[in-house]
């Protein structure tokens, strides 16, 4: 069975962007692939984290995975730091990565911009992400558009290892949805929707209450026109809302356009809010049940045990091929 791996950071609140670009696809893929889905705490600490907050967010994001529909009996759900092979292979791959490659990463450039001091962890972050994927020899990696460059580096590193030490790694393919790979901010359609945006009106958090969701959508920026039409160049804000509608309702973009032909933004936004609430309300209900039951700790332990077995085999092969004494 082919393998899928992906991860989400436990920093801040997960947004509808994380859901549409990644989490929702995790759920779809689990029926056809052997899946590992992790909460990437080692990545989160590349920027300063408050320990109590990191603990809370780690548990929250793991519970959101399950609440969104990841079945822990089918897929491994675990904390990245519980599978130590990630960090070990991460170090090995760092030694195969050039400074120039890391300097070219746009996400690093964005995150480092304007900062006086930038942690070395933030710089080598992409090599650890490559290790996350390669430590299972994963075939497919469901991510949003913003992770594409990291995936390209992962493929380059896999190829480099293979040419230096012998064919071993599969070159993993990104799984980037055609619609929804980049959900934009509600207040500015030139920026991606992000949990780190200081304006909470710019994103929908998966745990926002229905009223908050309605308010945020009713205030979302549109344009001075009146057509509910998909055109990312001329109508980026409305196109973003249509994308969200399509992804939360299962209707295609064309079907959404058709449904609101001749109607103004008001009724469209009102319906959009209900469509989003209809996806998030049941998810939130499951989330609270999972948090209250305390079952997430067992799920994480079981997931890590199974992931550990897979990862250990790959790590040992790699070490042997590189000349480590085992
Ligand atoms: P992170 O935690 O920033 O985001 C998690 C996933 O959500 C996607 N995403 C979006 N998709 C569409 N629209 C948006 N506005 C949006 N915002 C975020 C991201 O593309 C991502 O798929 N480096 C990764 C985590 C990671 C990882 C991995 C992913 C670590 N190791 C191995 C895949 C495989 C990150 O910071 O994602």
């Amino acid at each position: 069975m082919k393998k899928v791996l992906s991860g989400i950071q436990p920093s801040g609140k997960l947004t509808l962007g994380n859901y549409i670009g990644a989490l929702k696809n995790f759920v779809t893929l689990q029926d056809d692939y052997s899946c590992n889905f992790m909460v990437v705490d080692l990545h989160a600490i590349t920027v300063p984290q408050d320990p109590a907050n990191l603990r809370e967010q780690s548990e929250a994001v793991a519970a959101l995975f399950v609440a969104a529909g990841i079945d822990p009996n089918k897929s491994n759900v675990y904390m990245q730091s519980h599978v130590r092979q990630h960090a070990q292979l991460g170090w090995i791959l760092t030694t195969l990565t050039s400074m120039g490659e890391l300097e070219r990463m746009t996400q690093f450039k964005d995150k480092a911009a304007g900062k006086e001091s930038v942690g070395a962890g933030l710089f080598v972050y992409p090599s650890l992400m490559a290790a996350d994927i390669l430590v299972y020899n994963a075939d497919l990696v469901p991510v949003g558009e913003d992770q594409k460059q990291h995936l390209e580096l992962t493929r380059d590193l896999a190829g480099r290892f293979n040419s230096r030490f012998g064919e071993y790694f599969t070159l993993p393919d990104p799984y980037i949805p055609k619609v929804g790979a980049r959900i934009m901010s509600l207040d500015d359609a030139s920026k991606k929707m992000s949990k780190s945006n200081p304006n909470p009106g710019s994103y929908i958090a998966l745990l926002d209450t229905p009223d908050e969701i309605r308010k945020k959508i009713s205030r979302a920026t549109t344009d001075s026109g009146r057509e509910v039409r998909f055109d990312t160049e001329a109508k980026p804000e409305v196109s973003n809302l249509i994308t969200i509608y399509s992804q939360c309702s299962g209707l295609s973009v064309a079907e959404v356009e058709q449904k609101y032909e001749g109607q103004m933004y008001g009724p469209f936004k009102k319906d959009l809010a209900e469509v989003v609430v209809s996806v998030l309300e049941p998810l939130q209900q499951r989330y609270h049940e999972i948090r209250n039951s305390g079952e997430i700790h067992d799920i994480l332990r079981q997931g890590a045990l199974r992931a550990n077995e897979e990862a250990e085999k790959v790590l040992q092969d790699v070490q042997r091929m590189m000349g480590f004494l085992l």
Side-chain angles (χ1 to χ4, degrees):
M1 204 184 221
K2 293 212 169 197
K3 292 183 195 166
V4 161
L5 172 289
S6 199
I8 296 188
Q9 293 203 45
S11 44
K13 298 170 179 166
L14 289 204
T15 70
L16 199 56
N18 297 126
Y19 179 76
I20 293 174
L23 197 47
K24 182 169 171 283
N25 302 317
F26 297 179
V27 179
T28 321
L29 290 170
Q30 69 179 344
D31 291 330
D32 300 315
Y33 293 85
S34 154
C35 295
N36 284 321
F37 298 121
M38 56 179 184
V39 182
V40 294
D41 48 0
L42 296 176
H43 278 97
I45 59 163
T46 57
V47 296
Q49 297 287 340
D50 167 66
N53 190 49
L54 180 63
R55 211 169 287 131
E56 159 61 26
Q57 288 301 319
S58 297
E59 216 177 295
V61 172
L64 280 170
F65 277 19
V66 180
I70 295 175
D71 177 349
N73 295 315
K74 281 189 194 156
S75 308
N76 295 333
V77 175
Y78 56 96
M79 298 303 304
Q80 182 185 30
S81 64
H82 292 180
V83 182
R84 290 167 202 269
Q85 292 83 349
H86 288 260
Q88 263 175 291
L89 186 63
W91 172 252
I92 289 173
L93 294 182
T94 301
T95 68
L96 295 182
T97 314
S98 76
M99 300 277 284
E101 284 173 314
L102 295 173
E103 277 158 3
R104 282 194 293 277
M105 292 291 127
T106 55
Q107 200 158 67
F108 171 72
K109 287 195 257 184
D110 291 347
K111 286 192 178 172
K115 298 231 171 71
E116 236 172 63
S117 160
V118 177
L122 197 60
F123 188 59
V124 298
Y125 175 121
S127 307
L128 177 60
M129 177 161 162
D132 294 340
I133 299 165
L134 298 180
V135 84
Y136 305 104
N137 237 330
D139 299 280
L140 200 61
V141 185
V143 281
E145 180 75 36
D146 61 352
Q147 299 299 320
K148 200 171 164 193
Q149 200 187 20
H150 292 157
L151 254 295
E152 280 158 13
L153 177 69
T154 305
R155 291 172 60 92
D156 289 346
L157 291 175
R160 192 166 305 155
F161 180 94
N162 290 351
S163 66
R164 283 201 201 158
F165 302 106
E167 278 302 311
Y168 184 74
F169 286 123
T170 309
L171 269 49
D173 286 317
Y175 178 96
I176 298 176
K178 282 206 183 65
V179 180
R182 194 171 171 82
I183 299 295
M184 309 312 281
S185 272
L186 297 180
D187 62 342
D188 178 353
S190 69
K191 290 196 203 132
K192 75 167 186 183
M193 184 181 280
S194 164
K195 50 201 170 193
S196 55
N197 190 316
N199 170 18
S202 72
Y203 59 81
I204 293 174
L206 297 187
L207 296 176
D208 278 347
T209 63
D211 278 347
E212 280 168 328
I213 294 169
R214 292 186 184 105
K215 208 174 288 165
K216 286 182 182 183
I217 290 179
S218 79
R219 289 183 187 158
T221 310
T222 47
D223 53 39
S224 54
R226 38 174 56 193
E227 275 173 293
V228 180
R229 182 166 56 80
F230 189 88
D231 179 339
T232 49
E233 293 286 312
K235 298 170 76 69
E237 298 87 1
V238 173
S239 301
N240 187 43
L241 298 180
I242 294 177
T243 301
I244 296 175
Y245 196 122
S246 156
Q247 288 298 298
C248 291
S249 65
L251 295 180
S252 68
V253 165
E255 284 166 339
V256 178
E257 285 179 321
Q258 234 165 36
K259 188 167 158 94
Y260 292 95
E261 210 183 319
Q263 294 198 49
M264 310 248 257
Y265 296 152
F268 166 65
K269 280 172 133 189
K270 219 163 180 254
D271 289 357
L272 171 61
E274 295 318 312
V275 163
V276 173
V277 167
S278 74
V279 171
L280 295 190
E281 222 174 19
L283 182 150
Q284 294 174 1
Q285 213 167 358
R286 286 195 295 274
Y287 170 82
H288 292 297
E289 283 164 17
I290 295 161
R291 288 302 301 265
N292 291 338
S293 73
E295 65 188 295
I296 201 65
H297 297 284
D298 275 345
I299 291 174
L300 291 174
R301 206 168 303 121
Q302 288 301 324
L305 272 177
R306 292 193 298 251
N308 201 289
E309 241 172 72
E310 288 179 48
E312 182 57 23
K313 187 188 163 305
V314 172
L315 182 66
Q316 290 207 10
D317 287 345
V318 166
Q319 290 184 322
R320 193 175 305 110
M321 291 173 83
M322 290 180 81
F324 285 63
L325 288 182
L326 292 177

